[in-house]
Amino acid sequence: MARPLRLLRRPADRRRLHRTGPQGCLARRQGRRPSRSSTRARARRCSATSPRLARLGKLFGALLPGLDIKAVLAELRERIAEELDYLREAEAQHAFAMEFKDDPDFFVPDVIAANEQVLVTEWMDGTPLSRIITDGTKEERDSAGLLFVRFLFCSPARVAMLHADPHPGNFRMLPDGRLGVLDFGAVNRMPEGYPKVFGQLTRIFNQGDMDAVVDGLRDEGFIQEHIEIDGEALRGFLAPYVEPTAVEEFTFSREWLQAQAASATDLRPTNVVRQLNLPVSYVLIHRVHAAGVGVLCQLGTTARFRDEVIRWVPGFSDDEPAPVG
């Protein structure tokens, strides 16, 4: 039986990370004055972010006519507020720690205590992923990248949540070869796991049926009703992203990422990217995929990514047709 989380009564005086106590633990603190509630602190930070998001919304609304920018901004505001909730973060981290307890591949430090302004967890040593990127051998970078992908793909199936802040600072390679994971302030709660249609459409794309892919993307909200899409242009845009699932082994590289970034930021009216929408239910998934690909390209990882998709993404290896059209 999972032990209950212990709530701290006393708020902290400032936000910081430090080691404390003979056991060794990690404390995260927020807020500047104990007399001010974390709710007010979160409100101030959220209100400071909202005008910036609104300005970006006007810009992207003009550049990307296929995007429902109001819905995306509303989702981002809600998720930003969640990231500042330590009790919610503690609940998520505890769930991950319980699921991956004694796991051969992953370690998540458990929560020791928490309140609205303090989160105390077990301490975790290890080599930061950022150091593996700069100083690791090819073997170390390949191993780290494969575990990184496996963690992101398996978590929705195993914990019903997706770690939604996959930057190198949140991961450590432990001396025993496991991947240690930190910072669960941003998670996507996925009670049904990865959307099955995601795996189905990826499989159908690899099979070459672009009409079915376009219909499926339209049904999922990636293409709005009033938008007409050139199927072949869409194929050209999506192909590089889907390629790691179509080949036995794939290498991510900075050069590959630069080519994809140039394609995605091409703002000519004929660029199919300008016609695509991002449904709110996929905002955090897209964030994870984009940031995750960036980490893999920094690592220069070569691995059998298709095997991980087959194992963890529902619908990808199924024989039944996708419910599209």
Side-chain angles (χ1 to χ4, degrees):
M1 178 181 293
R3 62 173 177 78
L5 295 179
R6 182 164 67 90
L7 298 181
L8 295 174
R9 292 184 179 180
R10 227 174 140 182
D13 57 357
R14 65 183 184 274
R15 179 182 178 92
R16 60 184 175 179
L17 298 174
H18 69 106
R19 202 170 189 169
T20 176
Q23 307 173 42
C25 62
L26 183 67
R28 294 183 59 191
R29 301 182 176 184
Q30 84 174 10
R32 293 189 178 182
R33 298 181 183 177
S35 60
R36 293 191 178 184
S37 71
S38 60
T39 301
R40 290 177 62 188
R42 288 196 299 271
R44 287 197 302 273
R45 291 178 67 175
C46 289
S47 62
T49 304
S50 291
R52 300 189 191 104
L53 289 177
R55 289 193 292 270
L56 286 174
K58 292 179 181 178
L59 173 63
F60 283 103
L63 296 177
L64 304 171
L67 183 65
D68 184 354
I69 190 64
K70 290 184 179 179
V72 171
L73 291 181
E75 178 72 5
L76 287 173
R77 290 189 185 98
E78 184 176 343
R79 295 296 173 240
I80 289 171
E82 287 181 358
E83 289 187 39
L84 303 175
D85 186 335
Y86 276 1
L87 290 177
R88 190 177 178 91
E89 178 177 353
E91 178 188 18
Q93 182 160 341
H94 182 59
F96 273 86
M98 290 298 96
E99 172 59 33
F100 291 109
K101 183 178 177 63
D102 299 323
D103 190 272
D105 292 329
F106 309 110
F107 173 72
V108 176
D110 202 358
V111 175
I112 295 174
N115 70 9
E116 291 86 353
Q117 291 188 332
V118 183
L119 174 60
V120 183
T121 78
E122 297 171 334
W123 183 261
M124 181 178 69
D125 285 311
T127 304
L129 199 57
S130 56
R131 191 175 303 167
I132 301 295
I133 289 172
T134 58
D135 302 328
T137 64
K138 175 61 174 170
E139 182 180 1
E140 289 171 335
R141 288 183 284 115
D142 286 350
S143 176
L146 181 60
L147 288 176
F148 176 76
V149 168
R150 183 174 298 162
F151 177 77
L152 295 178
F153 276 140
C154 80
S155 296
R158 296 182 59 177
V159 197
M161 284 185 275
L162 175 66
H163 187 293
D165 194 10
H167 70 76
N170 289 335
F171 296 87
R172 305 278 190 276
M173 289 304 301
L174 306 188
D176 61 8
R178 289 183 296 170
L179 181 68
V181 188
L182 298 168
D183 195 348
F184 292 82
V187 298
N188 191 8
R189 285 165 170 79
M190 306 172 75
E192 304 300 323
Y194 253 106
K196 190 172 185 178
V197 70
F198 174 80
Q200 292 172 325
L201 290 177
T202 303
R203 169 168 51 86
I204 292 172
F205 182 93
N206 286 334
Q207 294 168 348
D209 189 349
M210 282 309 299
D211 289 339
V213 170
V214 170
D215 289 342
L217 291 176
R218 196 179 293 280
D219 288 344
E220 285 296 295
F222 286 96
I223 304 171
Q224 298 195 67
E225 292 183 3
H226 65 283
I227 297 293
E228 293 298 324
I229 287 285
D230 182 331
E232 288 307 307
L234 182 63
R235 185 200 303 275
F237 169 69
L238 293 177
Y241 299 101
V242 178
E243 185 182 357
T245 73
V247 296
E248 293 302 315
E249 190 174 79
F250 186 83
T251 299
F252 284 93
S253 67
R254 296 174 188 268
E255 294 74 21
W256 178 90
L257 181 62
Q258 290 169 356
Q260 308 324 312
S263 173
T265 56
D266 180 357
L267 296 178
R268 288 177 293 182
T270 54
N271 189 356
V272 70
V273 178
R274 302 187 68 219
Q275 309 303 316
L276 297 177
N277 184 38
L278 181 60
V280 294
S281 60
Y282 284 89
V283 166
L284 286 186
I285 295 175
H286 174 72
R287 170 183 174 177
V288 171
H289 286 183
V293 164
V295 172
L296 292 172
C297 289
Q298 291 179 70
L299 285 165
T301 298
T302 300
R304 297 173 63 90
F305 300 105
R306 175 182 168 85
D307 291 349
E308 301 302 317
V309 177
I310 290 173
R311 181 179 181 186
W312 297 112
V313 179
F316 181 78
S317 60
D318 295 344
D319 293 330
E320 76 273 10
V324 297

